[in-house]
Structures are given as structure tokens and as C-alpha cells.
Amino acid sequence: MKQRILVVEDEVQIAKVLKIELEYEDYEVHIEHDGLSGLENALGENYNLILLDVMLPKLSGIEVLRRLRKAGSHTPVILLTARNTTLDKVMGLDLGANDYVTKPFEIEELLARVRSSIRYHSSIISWQADRNEQPKISIKDLSVNTETREVTRSGESISLTPKEYDLLVYLLHHKNKIVTREGILTNVWGYEFEGETNVIDVYIRHLRKKLEDDSSDPLIQTVRGVGYTMKEK
């Protein structure tokens, strides 16, 4: 069965090019040209991925994303943003976007990110099915429910962005082992990352702040020159 992608893009020519390129890669593609119809379609149909423009008529892409996540949708979303809209990128990631691509974009980069997002989302679902176990993973007093994406420590709920959550789950799946920076980039970001090289340090710092705060029992340990680890003891 073909993987299905929803493209919500008001620029007709861009939407047409995306449809041609994605269908050439053997995806099934549906197009919507405004935020309201895009939201309705996203909530009414099952998709493997949504390509969502930020600047849309009737309902902005950011608002579409907010309502999708509020409705409980975990479908991967890649935002299509203008080059200088840093605030939109940050807000989008905080609201639950899985990735973003700036316009004008190289189609090969976009396709790589599409493959990455779909692959990672599928791997999480497959991992749960293959292990045939309770959807909870934990270490010490930290617990993650991979079905509801709820993260708690000592019973207190912790709010994470999608990428912070993905990073935490990857670390937990490899607890008591050392994971390299290269392994994190490949498996969490899922493509040949070409952004700032300190992106992992930034996300680790955010995770530590949210998970550990003033705790005297740190969960994430740095292995200098190699990577990171989470140990039971």
C-alpha cells in the first residue's frame, strides 16, 4: 500500500511541483490550498505525513498544527516556511512540528526529510508491535508512555517538544549503553544533518533542564568525546 501525504500549500505552482515529485517517488498525494480545508482533511483522513505551509489563507499553518496536536493527532508534520521566519520555526517546533524546510528549497532535501520523518514514525510503531509489551519505558523515577507520549518524573508531568521527546525515547531505548553523537543524528534527525553541529548539545541541555531541574540525581550523563548515556545506577 502506498504511503499517503497531505500537502497544504496555497501557491498552486509549488503544490503542483510537490505533487509531481512526490508521486514520482511513489507516494499517494492529496492537495489542499487553504488552512481550513487542510485541517478538515487531516482530521478526516489517515496520512503518513503532512507537508504544511505556514502562510495560508483562512487558517495559518501554525494554527492548523496547534489544532491537530490538540485533537491528538501524531501524524508527522513538516512545515514549509519563508527563509526569515525564525519565530514561526520555533513556534512550530514547540507546537509539535517534526521538522521544517525553508523556501526556496531543494527538492532532494525535502524528499530526504519526508523519508526520514515517515521512517522514524514507522519505526516507533513497529518497535512497539515487535516488542509486544506495555508501551512504557522507564529509568529510575522517569517514565514515558509511547502510546500517549506522556512523560513523567516522580509522578509529575513534563512537557517536551517532539524532537526533545524523540531524543529522550532514543536514549531510553539504549539505556545503560553509550550512544554516539553520530548515532543520535542518524536515528533521531534521520538524515545527513547539515545544520549547526551543536544541535545535539542544545537539545540535551533542554532535556536536562526539563527532566532534572534542581535534582541531585542527573539522568543524562556526558561521555566526553563520545556521546551520552542514561544509566539505571
Side-chain angles (χ1 to χ4, degrees), residues 117-133:
S117 292
I118 291 177
R119 182 170 60 245
Y120 182 79
H121 188 68
S122 298
S123 71
I124 293 297
I125 295 173
S126 297
W127 183 86
Q128 290 179 221
D130 291 344
R131 294 292 289 266
N132 192 25
E133 61 183 24

Side-chain angles (χ1 to χ4, degrees), residues 41-91:
N41 195 275
L43 291 175
E45 299 285 341
N46 291 320
Y47 290 100
N48 298 97
L49 181 88
I50 299 171
L51 287 176
L52 179 63
D53 188 30
V54 170
M55 300 296 291
L56 291 168
K58 298 187 180 180
L59 210 60
S60 74
I62 295 296
E63 181 61 17
V64 171
L65 175 63
R66 187 189 70 80
R67 296 191 189 186
L68 275 174
R69 295 308 187 223
K70 185 177 181 181
S73 170
H74 297 308
T75 302
V77 173
I78 297 178
L79 293 178
L80 305 178
T81 73
R83 185 171 294 278
N84 295 318
T85 53
T86 301
L87 182 60
D88 285 339
K89 296 171 187 174
V90 172
M91 187 180 300

Side-chain angles (χ1 to χ4, degrees), residues 56-193:
L56 291 168
K58 298 187 180 180
L59 210 60
S60 74
I62 295 296
E63 181 61 17
V64 171
L65 175 63
R66 187 189 70 80
R67 296 191 189 186
L68 275 174
R69 295 308 187 223
K70 185 177 181 181
S73 170
H74 297 308
T75 302
V77 173
I78 297 178
L79 293 178
L80 305 178
T81 73
R83 185 171 294 278
N84 295 318
T85 53
T86 301
L87 182 60
D88 285 339
K89 296 171 187 174
V90 172
M91 187 180 300
L93 292 171
D94 284 343
L95 286 173
N98 299 80
D99 203 352
Y100 65 82
V101 176
T102 55
K103 297 179 179 179
F105 50 79
E106 295 291 336
I107 192 64
E108 289 304 324
E109 178 188 3
L110 177 64
L111 292 173
R113 293 179 186 242
V114 165
R115 290 191 294 269
S116 167
S117 292
I118 291 177
R119 182 170 60 245
Y120 182 79
H121 188 68
S122 298
S123 71
I124 293 297
I125 295 173
S126 297
W127 183 86
Q128 290 179 221
D130 291 344
R131 294 292 289 266
N132 192 25
E133 61 183 24
Q134 292 297 316
K136 285 190 177 182
I137 45 180
S138 61
I139 189 169
K140 298 182 179 178
D141 57 349
L142 176 74
S143 178
V144 177
N145 187 316
T146 56
E147 282 189 347
T148 63
R149 298 174 72 90
E150 182 181 14
V151 180
T152 59
R153 186 169 192 194
S154 297
E156 295 293 323
S157 181
I158 298 171
S159 177
L160 300 180
T161 66
K163 194 58 69 178
E164 289 168 352
Y165 173 86
D166 291 345
L167 176 57
L168 175 60
V169 168
Y170 180 75
L171 291 171
L172 283 171
H173 284 172
H174 297 82
K175 62 184 178 182
N176 300 317
K177 299 177 182 178
I178 298 172
V179 294
T180 65
R181 297 166 63 85
E182 292 77 13
I184 292 173
L185 284 176
T186 299
N187 291 282
V188 177
W189 272 260
Y191 53 88
E192 188 174 349
F193 188 72

